[in-house]
Amino acid sequence: MVEQDHPDLSIRLQCGLLKLHRSSYYRGPRGESEENLKLMRLIEEEYLRHPFFGTRKIGDHLLQFGHGVNRKRVRRLMQLMGLKSIAYLGFTSQLHPRR
C-alpha cells in the first residue's frame, strides 16, 4: 500500500491519505517469543494426546514438567492456536421443558 520510494508522495502523505498512523507503518507486527513458541509446541502435543483437557489440566501438565505458566497464559496461547477442549459442557442455562 505505502510505497517507500514513491517519487511524488512522501510516506507521511501516503499514510495520511490511507488514514494510517505512521507509527503503524514503521513498526512491524511483533511475533511470539521463543519461550512462547516452545510452550505452544508443548501445549499442542498434550492437546493431541488429550483433546478433552482444558486450560487447567494443560497448565497443570506444564507445571509438572517445570514450566512456570499460569492458566491465563495457557488460555491465551490456546486461543491463539485455535484450540478448544472437546469436553461436554452441558446445557446448564436452558430451562427444563414443562408438560
Side-chain angles (χ1 to χ4, degrees):
M1 288 242 171
V2 177
E3 296 180 28
Q4 191 168 3
D5 299 329
H6 196 278
D8 298 328
L9 298 173
S10 67
I11 291 176
R12 179 177 170 223
L13 189 57
Q14 290 180 55
C15 288
L17 292 171
L18 293 172
K19 295 184 176 156
L20 175 75
H21 294 284
R22 278 188 297 151
S23 61
S24 299
Y25 169 71
Y26 288 116
R27 181 181 297 167
R30 242 174 70 189
E32 290 292 331
S33 67
E34 288 295 322
E35 184 181 2
N36 280 346
L37 292 175
K38 181 181 175 186
L39 286 173
M40 288 167 71
R41 185 177 50 78
L42 294 171
I43 288 171
E44 185 177 22
E45 288 174 4
E46 187 60 25
Y47 181 80
L48 290 175
R49 278 191 293 255
H50 304 104
F52 48 88
F53 277 7
T55 58
R56 291 174 197 258
K57 284 279 194 179
I58 290 181
D60 291 343
H61 174 76
L62 292 174
L63 283 173
Q64 281 180 344
F65 291 100
H67 301 284
V69 295
N70 61 7
R71 184 172 173 222
K72 288 190 264 184
R73 186 174 186 185
V74 173
R75 180 178 19 193
R76 184 183 71 81
L77 294 174
M78 284 181 71
Q79 284 177 348
L80 186 65
M81 294 187 298
L83 301 179
K84 261 188 192 175
S85 173
I86 62 168
Y88 177 72
L89 298 177
F91 297 100
T92 58
S93 297
Q94 291 186 354
L95 295 174
H96 184 71
R98 294 184 180 186
R99 294 183 188 197

